[in-house]
Amino acid sequence: MKALITSILILFIPMFSFAQKAAVSGKVQDNTTKESIPYVTISIQDNTSKKVAVGVTDDHGIFNFEGLPSGKMTIFFSYIGYQNYTQTFEIISGKPKIELETIVLNADAVELNEVEVTGQKSSVSLKLDKKVFEVGKDVLSQNGSAHDVLNGVPSVTVSPTGGISLRGNSSVLILINGRQSGLTQSNSLDQIAADQIERVEVITNPSSRYDASGSAGIINIILKKNKKSGFSGQVRLVAGSPNDSRLNPSINFKSDKINIFSNFGIRSSDYVGLYTTNQSTMNNGVPNYLNHVQNEDRHDDGKLMYLGADYYIDEHRTITAAFLKNATQDDDKTRLLYDYSNANHTRDSLLTREGKSLEKRDYNQFEFNYTQTFKKPSKKWTIDVQYDWWNSDKKWNLLTQQLYPETLAYPGIRTNSIGSSKDLLMQSDFVQPIDSVSVFEIGVKTEIRKVSSQFLAEQQQGDIWTIYQDIDNDLNYTETISSAYGQYSNKLKRFNYMLGLRTEFTKISITDIKNTYNDDKKYNRLFPTVNLSYKFEASTLQLNYSKRINRPPLYALYPFNELTDLNAQYIGNPDLNPSYSDVFELAFLKTWKKFTLNPSVYYQWESGYIQDFTYRENDIFYTTPINIQHEIRSGIELSTLYNPLKWLQVNLEMNFYHFAQKGSYQEENLDYEGKTFTGRLSTQVKLPSKFSFQGRYNFRGAQQNAQTKNEALQSLDFGLSKILLKDKATIVFDVSNAFDLRQNKSTTTGTDYYITENSIPNAARYRLSFVYRFNLTDPKAIRQASSANRN
């Protein structure tokens, strides 16, 4: 049924054209709950009972027909679970646009008890300013976390450490239900159960209603909403090896006036990592060698609570309030072995370092939303307020010992990092339809963020701890971003366009107690956007442009560094500036009965491009982010979906791009040109007895800049699921990073050094999950779900 609805949506354009143009629009909602009803089938007949138009309501229950002739008309509304409704109207000359009053449908309880809706939506669709991927019922999307879902979305890649990139660019803004959220902070996406996600929106050229942050674009994760009256929910249990134990219950309640939603999570996970390094350095013309091995055993405990409610004040006014708390505790152990050799490859010395870390993080977020709709369809006003605060406390204890040529214990080292943040966001948006096809939108937003961080390193001298390498400092970071936007969209037959302009003023202040860093920065830019779309019978062509900004994340500005590794350290750069991108993209979507084709070409010019730079000082390798002059990137991307048989589905995605970087740092020329290819092949097979199998192969070609070359990276995931207990439960077995294929091998070259590394942050993982869904509701009470304020 859902597939049929989607097919109708794709074909939803007025079917006839007349010399006397006329249009009719309106909105459909539930008579009891006053909630909008999407996908209602609508047909219009003239006074001779000839059908002149057919279509469906959109996601907000709104319909619009154009090209209607003058005369008396009858409009019919039908939707499974509701009684049919008919209304007459007349189109007279001189009044080409008619807005019908809100259409209300009455639920048909008898029909609800007898009809079962099956099927699922298409996996990909093109909107005017975004590409939408339906999660559907993929085996690998029923287990794991949001990271597992994103790793199956075309154009998106998740690194073994949880870093997310879009088309190979890590400068991407992650949203939850269209908003910034604590669920995207500190790798918290791993706390979101995969089966709680409804769809993922990939927005490579966002319209001006979105923040300009993220040069690669935006990934918007839409969570499933409560769609059933009364009590409903599910319980999810996961067990894995290495240990990955999870319990995720969710309970919801829905009535005519209130919708209460909740998600809870308890997690205990172990991660096994292996890192090896071979290093060659020159000191006064004499070569030295180092073989370095690091073994990691990381243990994470997490507790998550998300509780909120929508309250329907009346037909047009709704408020939403929600609270999120995400508390984690990491207990990590690492063992490092340093084997030094001289020019003759004879061992000079052998060192070991044992490290133990304990980190506690506590993230809290309160969100409030007020939404007001009006009698005029699509007209809407919203107010959002979000306040979040977090605290972290991380302690490292390091013990170093020489094993060769003689046994020698070095003084112990300990570090303590304490951080806190407070973030206030206020936003208001207003949507004003001008007529049945054109819309004007405006909005304002202010975000104030204050972060404080204390870092102390100490060395043991007998029974006394003294400050180590003068590392004892406090840093304060304040960021204020004020923005406003306006955009206009219109439709001319098959042609849609949206023009927007956004302005963002940013003020940043960085200070520390020692006054080593004292920097105030202000910058204000305009960010224009253009989104063009033309719809054919079963295809869509798009041309988009946007200007974006990539603001450095806090960790890239933080100047104090961890001391875990004797040989290499990462330090932030407080002098780092934002980069600006101009992005162009041409995309096409064509759908046949069994095949979907979605190619696109893109071009991006990013000035002030941010990349990591490695240098050697006092036999220690430091890596820090820097700005170079620019990077130019152009590429072609292809996504395909093939359903040759009812039980077989094949997805193939490919992305090839060329880049040219220009710049220098510390008198080192960093100009470089290269190209990269990425691909993903996924196959899903429906087996008898409600079994399903899915396999997914990911490939990333070699990547390189002026300093570092990363070899090709590949991984293999597969899963098997079984639906049982009258479709109320699902059991899934899956394997991620099968055969430990996911190994990141790199080579870094400098004037007096050569380093090769092989990183395996996560070993292969085997998981078994069980999900049970329940609904304690009388079927007669079921109503269509509301998007409420969390859309």
Side-chain angles (χ1 to χ4, degrees), residues 120-180:
Q120 63 187 63
K121 299 179 182 178
S122 300
S123 62
V124 59
S125 60
L126 276 180
K127 305 297 183 183
L128 188 57
D129 61 345
K130 59 192 170 187
K131 189 184 298 184
V132 181
F133 298 91
E134 303 292 342
V135 173
K137 297 181 180 179
D138 292 353
V139 176
L140 295 173
S141 295
Q142 297 178 37
N143 206 353
S145 66
H147 283 160
D148 300 281
V149 173
L150 291 176
N151 217 23
V153 174
S155 310
V156 181
T157 304
V158 182
S159 73
T161 55
I164 299 171
S165 60
L166 179 58
R167 289 176 174 168
N169 190 339
S170 60
S171 174
V172 58
L173 178 64
I174 310 296
L175 303 177
I176 303 292
N177 294 329
R179 298 181 176 89
Q180 298 182 47

Side-chain angles (χ1 to χ4, degrees), residues 613-646:
F613 177 80
T614 300
Y615 62 96
R616 183 179 174 219
E617 188 176 287
N618 298 326
D619 290 332
I620 297 177
F621 289 93
Y622 294 95
T623 299
T624 186
I626 63 169
N627 295 105
I628 62 173
Q629 186 174 328
H630 67 252
E631 182 193 71
I632 303 173
R633 182 176 298 196
S634 57
I636 181 169
E637 187 176 54
L638 177 65
S639 299
T640 63
L641 171 65
Y642 184 43
N643 290 97
L645 302 167
K646 290 184 178 179

Side-chain angles (χ1 to χ4, degrees), residues 30 242 401 442 448 464-465 470 564 574 580 627 637 669 760:
D30 185 292
Q401 187 177 21
I442 57 173
I448 304 172
I464 302 174
W465 288 89
D470 199 32
T564 310
Y580 297 90
N627 295 105
E637 187 176 54
N669 184 10
I760 311 176

Side-chain angles (χ1 to χ4, degrees), residues 38-68:
Y39 312 136
V40 175
T41 301
I42 304 173
S43 62
I44 300 177
Q45 295 180 3
D46 60 16
N47 55 4
T48 65
S49 298
K50 179 183 178 182
K51 190 174 292 186
V52 297
V54 176
V56 296
T57 57
D58 64 12
D59 292 340
H60 306 289
I62 295 169
F63 62 89
N64 178 62
F65 292 92
E66 298 175 337
L68 301 177

Side-chain angles (χ1 to χ4, degrees), residues 484-499:
Y485 77 92
Q487 70 180 24
Y488 173 77
S489 59
N490 200 352
K491 178 181 179 182
L492 303 173
K493 296 183 179 180
R494 296 174 181 266
F495 178 67
N496 292 264
Y497 65 91
M498 183 185 297
L499 307 175

Side-chain angles (χ1 to χ4, degrees), residues 286-357:
V286 179
N288 294 280
Y289 304 97
L290 167 65
N291 294 324
H292 174 220
V293 178
Q294 179 177 346
N295 289 278
E296 284 187 345
D297 290 305
R298 309 187 305 276
H299 176 80
D300 297 351
D301 291 321
K303 296 178 182 179
L304 181 142
M305 178 186 72
Y306 185 53
L307 179 65
D310 305 309
Y311 178 68
Y312 311 108
I313 301 173
D314 54 34
E315 177 183 349
H316 295 292
R317 296 180 298 164
T318 307
I319 60 173
T320 294
F323 175 73
L324 166 72
K325 186 177 184 65
N326 185 24
T328 61
Q329 179 170 309
D330 301 344
D331 189 351
D332 301 341
K333 297 178 181 178
T334 184
R335 185 175 188 272
L336 302 100
L337 178 67
Y338 302 86
D339 190 350
Y340 295 93
S341 303
N342 57 29
N344 299 320
H345 294 280
T346 302
R347 174 177 290 169
D348 276 342
S349 60
L350 185 66
L351 298 176
T352 63
R353 169 170 279 189
E354 302 281 347
K356 180 175 176 57
S357 168

Side-chain angles (χ1 to χ4, degrees), residues 5 109 116 118 127 161 231 376 418 529 569 573 639 754:
I5 290 172
E116 179 182 359
T118 58
K127 305 297 183 183
T161 55
F231 285 99
K376 188 179 182 69
I418 300 175
T529 60
Q569 297 175 10
N573 178 6
S639 299
Y754 182 86

